[in-house]
Amino acid sequence: MKKLIFVFLLVALIATPLAALDLSAGGDFSFAHAWNTAKIEKAKATASMNFFGINGFFDAEYVRAGLGLNFSVGGLALKANDGEGNSVSETDSKVSNTNFRLSVLGKYPFTIAEIVKLYPLAGLEFDFNVSAKNDGKDIKEHMSDDLKKDLNHTYLVLGAGADITVTGNLFVTPKATFGFDLRQTSTAKEAKAKGGHTMKLEFGVGVGYKF
């Protein structure tokens, strides 16, 4: 009986603050441009990819947790120059990456109109590579452990978003974020290069439902 009362009180303590929050869930589509620039003395090289994302989210007013997948589109673009006027630029359209992503972002909503809430976003996003291919062939089997780790990212994320009520409990939620990978790539670290942290600019729009 005492255990039953304890469980009831625990559930009540958790449920009471949640009940006071605006809870919602939904999904969104996103487009991101990711790039990584490394410098060694005068020389500079940049690798970049574009990603299309499909995501789901759960929102507890001041926290938004998300999960989803993003797929590279357009291949891998490479640009390099030696700082002395010589440069090269090429795109390998046969390279493709697929990532599973988890994010937890804090938010503080401001009501600026009856149907519009704006809020800053800050938190972490974790991208785990599930597929890396070149011309349809798995390239991870030929990579070292360090290079495989370079395919994963831990982003510090800052940005802004909005909830715009469409009708009743249904709302549209656009967002724009900037992500900075906290981990320097192993190749940049070995070469003692400056930079070597992946950065990402992302725009998304989705639909949510308030409970």
Side-chain angles (χ1 to χ4, degrees):
M1 185 65 180
K2 289 182 179 179
K3 289 184 178 180
L4 184 61
I5 293 174
F6 174 77
V7 171
F8 176 78
L9 290 174
L10 183 61
V11 171
L13 286 171
I14 295 173
T16 299
L18 283 177
L21 299 175
D22 290 333
L23 303 179
S24 61
D28 65 56
F29 298 101
S30 63
F31 177 82
H33 177 68
W35 70 96
N36 189 312
T37 299
K39 297 179 180 179
I40 302 176
E41 296 181 354
K42 295 181 180 180
K44 181 174 72 172
T46 299
S48 63
M49 298 186 84
N50 295 321
F51 290 89
F52 175 74
I54 303 173
N55 315 284
F57 67 83
F58 175 78
D59 193 298
E61 191 168 3
Y62 299 107
V63 178
R64 178 166 292 187
L67 58 85
L69 291 172
N70 57 25
F71 312 87
S72 63
V73 290
L76 174 67
L78 298 170
K79 294 182 179 180
N81 67 75
D82 60 6
E84 297 180 358
N86 302 307
S87 63
V88 62
S89 178
E90 61 181 32
T91 299
D92 190 342
S93 59
K94 296 179 180 180
V95 175
S96 64
N97 282 351
T98 302
N99 300 319
F100 174 71
R101 63 196 298 195
L102 295 170
S103 63
V104 180
L105 303 178
K107 54 195 280 279
Y108 194 88
F110 299 89
T111 300
I112 64 169
E114 186 176 352
I115 63 170
V116 180
K117 289 184 178 180
L118 295 179
Y119 43 82
L121 292 166
L124 293 173
E125 177 187 317
F126 306 92
D127 284 15
F128 305 97
N129 182 265
V130 295
S131 174
K133 296 182 178 180
N134 189 341
D135 199 17
K137 298 178 181 179
D138 183 15
I139 59 177
K140 292 173 73 173
E141 61 183 20
H142 305 296
M143 288 181 168
S144 66
D145 289 341
D146 284 339
L147 288 177
K148 290 177 182 178
K149 289 179 182 178
D150 289 344
L151 296 173
N152 302 321
H153 307 283
T154 300
Y155 290 108
L156 174 64
V157 177
L158 299 173
D163 292 344
I164 305 169
T165 300
V166 177
T167 177
N169 293 338
L170 195 66
F171 64 94
V172 174
T173 176
K175 68 175 181 179
T177 58
F178 171 78
F180 178 85
D181 193 349
L182 299 176
R183 181 178 178 273
Q184 187 183 35
T185 62
S186 61
T187 50
K189 190 178 295 184
E190 288 176 6
K192 297 181 180 180
K194 295 180 180 179
H197 295 265
T198 300
M199 290 176 275
K200 180 173 67 169
L201 188 61
E202 185 166 13
F203 301 93
V205 62
V207 176
Y209 184 84
K210 296 178 181 178
F211 301 119

